[in-house]
């Protein structure tokens, strides 16, 4: 029937290619991150062992393949399967078959990664985990090269971008005063969880430019998202603004795959004619099938409409949350983590406090002892070291270290981490950039709190230091295995 043709969106083939391959690539990064870090953080001998967590686990509330049994070997098989499936999708191989093939592939990624997230505890308590899960489920219904992209699914992906951007904008307006008086960027580049190589340069920009940054952020998050639903080419222009602002965040920070997935999903609003006009190398006829119509099977149409209806119904709760005075940030309203609410940095930390861990071989440590500092991969430590770009890869230990001074250093996982350092546990030490003891166990470890700030241009020319740090206090005095590391009673 002619009226059914509205559900086909052949002019969004390029968008589908970016969405499917881009989301699959981010799943690949997520599984790789888990393969490299999960056993040390949450494995059988990890900081927060999953077997202990599962002993008090509610099977009805958190779907996971590990609900009956967890082993590090099984975790590695799950990650390997996820890496294989996501790599095939990035290569576009499942997309060459019937539409149910990429559907099954993406749903497999969704279920496999949800199994990891649901036992990941605090190390997987980030908004971009549920964002990746929701994106994977929604993109699963984009079909294959044998069918046109379904318009309703593209609209739902645009709706996801809207919730991501507008939700973050509303969190800021309702949050700290610094977002309303336009001073938030006086601090953010310096105090963000994991600065990048250009963060210091961004921080040293004149303050009037920081205010322009905040105004641009408010425009991109509070105004532009509405135009994603506008007719073309307005929707593509709005998507371009979202992509540009997210690239600026990529350049000035390390937020795992948060910015990258926003960039990928924004392409749902970019039509082929606009993409071709901007980059002529992008073909108008992606598959070279001029004059050949692809017919959408009725069963596939029914399936995508059923998925559309499901996600539309689930949208009630996040929509209500967007306009609630008590807006939730990064929350899911169902155990399958579909159609969630998002937002970040409702308030901006004004000072950067870093937790530094040191160890020594000395039998009776004091201030004259040879204390050596452990080096982390992403978080600031060495004042001369240029911060590295890590996104979209997620350094989970480094991120959790940033939260310690904002909450408390007396976290269960952190004392377990100190115990692993005293044991010179090999898989824990592999999470670090530098072990000052070359694999040997120190006699003692201690924790010190420092205030960090970016060096001015004059200070950098004089000393070569990118950071200036000042010792504040010692929140955890020297601990040894003779004095079992555990939270003080």
């Amino acid at each position: 029937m002619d009226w059914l043709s509205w559900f086909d969106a052949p002019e969004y083939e390029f968008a589908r290619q970016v969405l499917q391959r881009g989301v699959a690539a981010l799943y690949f990064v997520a599984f790789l991150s888990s393969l490299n870090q999960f056993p040390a953080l949450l494995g059988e001998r990890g900081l927060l062992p999953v077997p202990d967590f599962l002993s008090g686990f509610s099977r009805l509330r958190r779907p996971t393949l590990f609900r009956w049994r967890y082993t590090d070997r099984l975790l590695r098989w799950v990650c390997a399967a996820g890496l294989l499936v996501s790599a095939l999708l990035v290569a576009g191989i499942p997309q060459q078959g019937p539409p149910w093939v990429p559907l099954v592939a993406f749903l497999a990624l969704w279920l496999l990664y949800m199994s990891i997230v649901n036992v990941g505890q605090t190390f997987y308590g980030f908004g971009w985990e549920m964002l990746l899960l929701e994106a994977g489920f929604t993109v699963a219904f984009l079909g294959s090269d044998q069918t046109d992209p379904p318009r309703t699914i593209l609209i739902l992906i645009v709706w996801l971008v809207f919730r991501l951007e507008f939700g973050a904008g509303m969190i800021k307006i309702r949050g700290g005063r610094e977002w309303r008086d336009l001073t938030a960027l006086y601090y953010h580049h310096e105090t963000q969880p994991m600065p990048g190589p250009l963060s210091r340069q961004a921080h040293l920009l004149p303050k009037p430019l920081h205010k322009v940054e905040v105004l641009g952020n408010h425009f991109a998050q509070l105004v532009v998202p509405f135009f994603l639903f506008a007719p073309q080419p307005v929707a593509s222009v709005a998507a371009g603004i979202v992509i540009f602002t997210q690239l600026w965040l990529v350049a000035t920070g390390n937020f795992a795959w948060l910015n990258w997935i926003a960039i990928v999903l924004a392409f749902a609003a970019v039509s082929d004619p606009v993409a071709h006009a901007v980059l002529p190398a992008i073909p108008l006829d992606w598959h070279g099938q001029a004059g050949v119509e692809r017919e959408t099977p009725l069963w596939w149409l029914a399936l995508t409409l059923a998925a559309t209806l499901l996600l539309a119904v689930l949208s009630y709760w996040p929509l209500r949350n967007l306009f609630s005075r008590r807006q939730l940030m990064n929350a899911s309203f169902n155990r399958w983590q579909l159609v969630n609410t998002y937002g970040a940095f409702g308030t901006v930390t004004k000072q950067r406090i870093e937790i530094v861990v040191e160890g020594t071989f000395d039998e009776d440590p004091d201030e004259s002892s040879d204390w050596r500092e452990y080096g982390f991969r992403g978080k600031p430590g060495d004042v001369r070291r240029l911060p590295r770009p890590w996104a979209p890869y997620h350094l989970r230990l480094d991120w959790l270290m940033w939260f310690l001074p904002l909450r408390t250093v007396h976290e269960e996982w952190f004392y377990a981490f100190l115990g692993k350092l005293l044991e010179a546990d090999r898989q824990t030490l592999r999470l670090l950039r530098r072990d000052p003891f070359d694999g040997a166990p120190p006699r003692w470890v201690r924790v010190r709190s420092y205030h960090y700030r970016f060096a001015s241009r004059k200070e950098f020319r004089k000393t070569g230091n990118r950071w200036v740090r000042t010792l504040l206090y010692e929140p955890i005095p020297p601990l040894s295995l003779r004095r079992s590391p555990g939270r003080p009673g």
Side-chain angles (χ1 to χ4, degrees), residues 104-123:
V104 170
F106 273 108
L107 291 183
L109 294 181
W110 171 63
L111 287 168
L112 289 171
Y113 196 62
M114 182 165 55
S115 294
I116 295 174
V117 171
N118 281 345
V119 296
Q121 305 168 69
T122 188
F123 289 103

Side-chain angles (χ1 to χ4, degrees), residues 211-480:
K211 290 194 171 186
V212 172
E213 278 187 277
V214 178
L215 280 173
N217 179 86
H218 290 335
F219 175 72
Q221 293 191 326
L222 295 172
V223 178
V224 170
F226 289 93
F227 290 94
L228 293 169
F229 299 99
Q232 294 294 350
V234 176
S236 292
V237 173
I241 294 173
V242 171
I243 292 169
F244 175 80
T245 55
Q246 293 294 330
L247 286 173
W248 172 246
L249 294 173
V250 168
T252 58
N254 278 302
F255 297 97
W257 55 78
L258 175 62
N259 307 124
W260 285 109
I261 198 168
I263 290 168
V264 169
L265 295 174
F267 276 91
V270 178
S271 67
D272 290 358
V274 174
H276 178 74
V278 175
L279 290 175
I282 299 173
L284 278 173
D285 182 14
W286 185 267
H287 299 289
Q289 296 175 334
V292 178
E293 294 186 3
R294 290 176 290 185
E295 185 175 347
T296 300
L298 191 58
W299 67 268
W300 178 248
L301 176 63
L303 188 60
T304 55
L305 289 179
T308 300
L309 180 61
L310 171 66
L311 296 178
V313 170
L314 294 177
S315 294
Y316 168 75
W317 291 273
L319 178 61
R320 185 177 65 174
N321 179 72
L322 280 176
F323 299 98
S324 170
R325 291 183 178 180
R326 297 181 179 180
Q327 180 187 359
L328 299 175
M329 181 175 69
N330 297 327
S332 181
F333 301 95
N334 55 80
R335 65 195 186 104
W336 300 100
Q337 303 197 49
L338 299 177
V339 197
N340 312 300
T341 182
Y342 304 100
F345 295 101
T347 58
V348 173
T349 307
K350 304 299 191 302
Q351 292 186 325
R352 180 173 206 97
I353 308 300
E354 284 292 339
I355 298 301
V356 172
V357 181
E358 299 174 334
T360 181
F361 283 134
D362 291 6
E363 286 286 351
D364 297 307
D366 55 29
E367 287 306 312
S368 63
S369 298
D370 179 23
W371 288 101
R372 304 178 191 177
E373 183 175 332
Y374 286 90
F376 290 77
R377 294 182 184 274
K379 92 175 194 70
D382 180 357
V383 295
R384 301 181 67 88
R385 185 169 180 256
L386 178 70
R388 303 295 194 263
W390 283 98
Y393 193 82
H394 188 9
L395 294 174
R396 300 179 185 280
L397 176 62
D398 296 62
W399 266 82
L400 264 291
M401 292 291 292
W402 180 79
F403 283 104
L404 287 176
L406 302 181
R407 300 171 181 171
T408 174
V409 295
H410 303 299
E411 294 272 5
E412 178 185 354
W413 69 264
F414 188 54
Y415 277 98
F417 172 67
L418 297 178
K420 296 292 186 182
L421 296 183
L422 287 168
E423 296 170 357
D425 180 71
R426 292 182 63 184
Q427 67 175 3
T428 302
L429 293 175
R430 281 197 291 268
L431 298 175
L432 303 178
R433 178 181 63 87
R434 187 176 69 89
D435 168 20
F437 304 103
D438 297 321
R443 296 281 187 177
W444 299 83
V445 295
R446 71 178 181 182
V447 176
R448 310 191 101 188
S449 175
Y450 284 85
H451 172 256
Y452 271 65
R453 66 170 176 84
F454 277 130
S456 66
R457 294 184 178 88
K458 182 179 179 180
E459 289 171 325
F460 176 70
R461 286 194 297 269
K462 183 178 179 180
T463 66
N465 295 340
R466 292 180 169 85
W467 295 96
V468 176
R469 76 178 189 179
T470 304
L471 176 64
L472 299 177
Y473 67 107
E474 191 174 85
I476 299 180
L479 296 173
S480 73

Side-chain angles (χ1 to χ4, degrees), residues 135-243:
F137 182 88
T138 311
V139 167
F141 294 91
L142 281 177
S144 69
D145 296 347
Q146 295 184 6
T147 62
D148 288 322
R151 195 175 303 275
T152 57
I153 300 300
L154 289 167
I155 292 172
L156 285 169
I157 297 173
V158 171
W159 166 231
L160 171 53
V161 178
F162 180 91
R163 279 181 283 123
L164 178 63
E165 290 291 292
F166 189 70
M170 291 300 292
I171 282 286
K172 292 177 175 65
I173 291 298
R174 292 179 172 132
R177 181 180 176 182
E178 62 272 12
W179 288 109
R180 296 189 292 276
D181 65 17
L182 308 183
T183 61
L185 274 299
Y186 290 3
Y187 318 100
H188 173 71
H189 294 302
E190 181 177 72
T191 63
Q192 63 182 301
M194 197 179 303
L198 298 180
S199 298
R200 179 173 162 270
Q201 284 71 20
H203 175 71
L204 295 176
L205 290 172
K207 287 187 175 180
L209 284 182
H210 286 317
K211 290 194 171 186
V212 172
E213 278 187 277
V214 178
L215 280 173
N217 179 86
H218 290 335
F219 175 72
Q221 293 191 326
L222 295 172
V223 178
V224 170
F226 289 93
F227 290 94
L228 293 169
F229 299 99
Q232 294 294 350
V234 176
S236 292
V237 173
I241 294 173
V242 171
I243 292 169

